[in-house]
Amino acid sequence: ALSSAASDVYKRQRQGYHCGMRIEFVYALLLTGVCLLFAEPIIRLFAADPAVVDLGVRFLRTISLFYLMPAATNGIQGFFRGLGRLRLTMVASLLQVVLRVVLSYFLIPVWGMYGICVAVASGWVLLVLIEGSYSVRTARALTMEKRED
């Protein structure tokens, strides 16, 4: 059974993790809203050519729909960094970059700019799948360790 002090620390850790994830998700939702509503003024900060602005607005509005995924992975990566398990976040990040590059190479000729959106979103999905599954397993293992103490 957990001692009272250890139980309190564990509860605070869980509360901190859940609070951090809520902050990540609220931030992602706000950022998505800003990008959807103000896409054109944001893109006009970087380009004046109407064709470039049009393409940039469509890209920003499309990619912003997926901002919840990096929000989730940021929180999960913080969990692993706190445990000192940096190798997992490094490998998962490397795999998602490779996936993005490969998918971009094949999808841009077919879907153009939307091929990049699919590649980026696919990389984020891969991160959520890898790190999410490991975080659930790790949290369960830590919970079992704490119960045995």
Side-chain angles (χ1 to χ4, degrees), residues 135-148:
S135 70
V136 168
R137 276 194 264 164
T138 302
R140 283 185 185 151
L142 291 172
T143 301
M144 297 310 286
E145 282 177 19
K146 292 187 185 313
R147 288 185 182 158
E148 291 172 4

Side-chain angles (χ1 to χ4, degrees), residues 6-24:
S7 178
D8 288 344
V9 168
Y10 176 70
K11 285 178 186 173
R12 284 196 314 269
Q13 288 171 338
R14 279 182 64 89
Q15 289 171 341
Y17 175 78
H18 290 293
C19 179
M21 291 301 280
R22 283 191 294 273
I23 291 169
E24 289 278 355

Side-chain angles (χ1 to χ4, degrees), residues 61-129:
R61 285 186 175 148
T62 302
I63 202 69
S64 68
L65 298 174
F66 298 99
Y67 284 165
L68 284 176
M69 287 184 207
T73 60
N74 285 340
I76 294 169
Q77 286 179 352
F79 169 72
F80 285 115
R81 287 184 191 117
L83 293 174
R85 298 186 182 169
L86 302 176
R87 184 171 292 144
L88 173 67
T89 60
M90 179 189 68
V91 169
S93 295
L94 179 64
L95 289 173
Q96 72 97 14
V97 168
V98 170
L99 178 65
R100 282 182 182 194
V101 170
V102 170
L103 286 178
S104 292
Y105 179 80
F106 289 109
L107 295 178
I108 290 172
V110 178
W111 291 338
M113 169 214 44
Y114 292 109
I116 297 171
C117 291
V118 170
V120 170
S122 297
W124 289 339
V125 168
L126 181 65
L127 274 177
V128 168
L129 291 174

Side-chain angles (χ1 to χ4, degrees), residues 41-59:
I42 292 169
I43 297 299
R44 286 198 181 279
L45 291 171
F46 303 99
D49 182 338
V52 172
V53 170
D54 181 54
L55 194 60
V57 166
R58 289 188 301 153
F59 180 86

